[in-house]
Amino acid sequence: MTQSRRMLVLRAVVEDYIRSQEPVGSAALSKERDLGVSSATIRNDMAALEDEGYLIQPHTSAGRVPTEKGYRYFVDRLATVVPLSEAQRRGINSFLSGSVSLKDALQRSARLLSEITGQVAIVASPSLSKATLRHVELVPVAMSTLLAVVITDTGRVAQHGLTVSAMPTADDINRLSSAVNEQCNGQSLSSASETVRALGGGTGFETVREAADALADAFASMALDERANELYMSGTSHLAHSRSLTDLAPLFDALEEQVVLMKLMSNLSEEPSATGVGVSIGSESHTPELLHASVVSSGYGRSTSPVANDSERNETSPDQDSTNEPIAFVGSIGPTHMDYAATMAAVRAVARYLTFLSRKAAPATDRRLWHNNPQTNEYKGTNKWQIITRRWASTATRATTRSRRRTASSAVSITLISRDRSSRTSSRK
């Protein structure tokens, strides 16, 4: 399609159909849009667009509706992602800044994105295979078992039991932990596995060779276990308001197939895009259950440029996150007639916030326990230190409980965002 007028007609049809969800006629376009041509000319352009596969006519006397090809042309030519309103940005800051852990932040993000878009929101936890090691601590928990507590750069905390035939001394365990943290900091788990295995075979570590080999095996297992990713989902109830009953069953089936969704959204988030957001429309997903749905996804993760609150002030810059290395994704699933511009903006905004969180230091509970804390460091290698370490999990649980108590006040932020979205929709109508 080379004629600019037809492009404007197609864009107008898509925008009007997204807004009204009713077939769009030439008379309505001529009346409501300043296209500079008559209704008859618009009708001829719409007929040509139909012949080219961009529009269809449900029945003879009806207007036209966009096809997948029409939506794709529209999405590909969105030059920039429309920035969120100031109220929405404040709402995102207020609601997500109350997170006390990575899991809490991801759960809040899914709920928030669902409220902004009115669609199903999915947020994936960071993949261990793409994480780098920040800290590891080895703690004896039984006569022949060590607990390896692994903290990654993405804030993920994993625990692994290591079985040894004979328990090394506390000094040997501390020496191994210190060497691993010194040599493996910043390495991927797969690389750390090789480093630790070589370390255990070196001079001076004969007494902890078995523990080193077990730790190396644990790192290798964690690096390969993609199933460790968790998906946080919210907003499935929104489907009832935007889908016909005949479309709901296959869509719910698709939501149950988490492995399929994870692969689809991960691939979309890793595709190069000027907007930093990937979009799959209908059959493009190659998933029969998503034939009448669209998926919008964006990766979050490491970035060499600031993406904190200040970045939202420059949200119209499409290249701002071009240096991101995705470690997980944020996505939204809705009907093919979704508001693509608004959904892409919301997905990208939440992804940027999670990128900012992933660049921060370890969560508060981790910092308090592991780093530069004389109250805990003086106990390292003692029974007191083991007690502190074993209580880490319960400390994190209590932090999550405190977070839930704040939910009532944070709900005001979600209400603000939802009302803002509703008012903007109403104003367009």
Side-chain angles (χ1 to χ4, degrees), residues 185-216:
N185 184 38
Q187 290 186 353
S188 67
L189 291 175
S190 57
S191 297
S193 174
E194 298 175 2
T195 301
V196 172
R197 202 175 301 279
L199 183 67
T203 304
F205 291 93
E206 292 83 2
T207 58
V208 290
R209 181 168 300 165
E210 187 180 13
D213 287 342
L215 181 59

Side-chain angles (χ1 to χ4, degrees), residues 87-144:
Q88 288 175 320
R89 290 199 294 271
R90 286 198 305 267
I92 290 176
N93 262 335
S94 175
F95 189 67
L96 295 186
S97 61
S99 304
V100 296
S101 66
L102 176 65
K103 181 177 180 180
D104 185 33
L106 299 180
Q107 290 173 332
R108 285 170 175 252
S109 297
R111 182 181 172 192
L112 180 69
L113 182 58
S114 172
E115 291 296 331
I116 294 176
T117 62
Q119 298 164 174
V120 178
I122 299 178
V123 180
S125 63
S127 169
L128 286 174
S129 65
K130 297 179 181 178
T132 60
L133 185 66
R134 172 179 287 153
H135 191 89
V136 62
E137 196 68 32
L138 300 177
V139 184
V141 292
M143 294 296 294
S144 60

Side-chain angles (χ1 to χ4, degrees), residues 81-96 107-123 234-238 296 312 315 330-335 338-354 410-426 428:
V81 175
V82 179
L84 296 180
S85 69
E86 185 63 30
Q88 288 175 320
R89 290 199 294 271
R90 286 198 305 267
I92 290 176
N93 262 335
S94 175
F95 189 67
L96 295 186
Q107 290 173 332
R108 285 170 175 252
S109 297
R111 182 181 172 192
L112 180 69
L113 182 58
S114 172
E115 291 296 331
I116 294 176
T117 62
Q119 298 164 174
V120 178
I122 299 178
V123 180
S234 181
T236 52
S237 60
H238 292 306
V296 178
E312 289 300 315
E315 189 161 4
V330 178
S332 180
I333 300 177
M338 70 165 63
D339 187 338
Y340 288 96
T343 300
M344 291 166 69
V347 166
R348 190 179 69 167
V350 174
R352 284 183 171 183
Y353 196 95
L354 290 177
S410 296
V412 176
S413 300
I414 284 189
T415 302
L416 176 62
I417 294 170
S418 300
R419 288 177 177 174
D420 186 71
R421 176 171 56 85
S422 299
S423 63
R424 295 177 78 179
T425 302
S426 300
R428 286 200 302 266

Side-chain angles (χ1 to χ4, degrees), residues 189-419:
L189 291 175
S190 57
S191 297
S193 174
E194 298 175 2
T195 301
V196 172
R197 202 175 301 279
L199 183 67
T203 304
F205 291 93
E206 292 83 2
T207 58
V208 290
R209 181 168 300 165
E210 187 180 13
D213 287 342
L215 181 59
D217 291 341
F219 283 163
S221 175
M222 293 163 59
L224 295 175
D225 190 7
E226 288 292 344
R227 294 173 298 176
N229 285 36
E230 293 182 271
L231 291 184
Y232 300 94
M233 190 178 303
S234 181
T236 52
S237 60
H238 292 306
L239 292 175
H241 303 290
S242 61
R243 310 291 304 176
S244 65
L245 292 178
T246 56
D247 294 337
L248 283 179
L251 193 48
F252 277 123
D253 289 340
L255 296 178
E256 289 292 327
E257 295 292 336
Q258 293 195 359
V259 175
V260 175
L261 284 179
M262 187 176 295
K263 183 177 181 180
L264 170 62
M265 297 184 122
S266 179
N267 289 341
L268 282 176
S269 65
E270 292 175 357
E271 289 180 357
S273 168
T275 60
V277 181
V279 181
S280 173
I281 304 171
S283 61
E284 294 176 356
S285 66
H286 304 291
T287 304
E289 293 82 2
L290 295 175
L291 185 61
H292 302 290
S294 290
V295 179
V296 178
S297 181
S298 180
Y300 71 88
R302 307 179 187 93
S303 173
T304 59
S305 59
V307 289
N309 303 339
D310 292 341
S311 71
E312 289 300 315
R313 299 191 186 104
N314 301 317
E315 189 161 4
T316 54
S317 172
D319 299 323
Q320 191 155 350
D321 283 347
S322 59
T323 57
N324 274 4
E325 179 187 344
I327 55 176
F329 62 81
V330 178
S332 180
I333 300 177
T336 52
H337 58 261
M338 70 165 63
D339 187 338
Y340 288 96
T343 300
M344 291 166 69
V347 166
R348 190 179 69 167
V350 174
R352 284 183 171 183
Y353 196 95
L354 290 177
T355 295
F356 168 64
L357 290 181
S358 72
R359 294 174 62 245
K360 292 173 66 177
T365 52
D366 303 336
R367 289 199 307 271
R368 188 168 58 249
L369 186 58
W370 308 118
H371 297 293
N372 302 321
N373 192 332
Q375 289 183 324
T376 55
N377 286 340
E378 66 176 298
Y379 297 122
K380 277 198 171 184
T382 67
N383 290 334
K384 178 94 173 181
W385 173 249
Q386 295 179 25
I387 293 173
I388 293 173
T389 307
R390 290 170 183 172
R391 289 179 177 173
W392 182 89
S394 60
T395 301
T397 301
R398 288 196 299 271
T400 302
T401 302
R402 289 196 301 270
S403 166
R404 289 172 180 168
R405 291 173 182 168
R406 302 176 190 172
T407 301
S409 60
S410 296
V412 176
S413 300
I414 284 189
T415 302
L416 176 62
I417 294 170
S418 300
R419 288 177 177 174

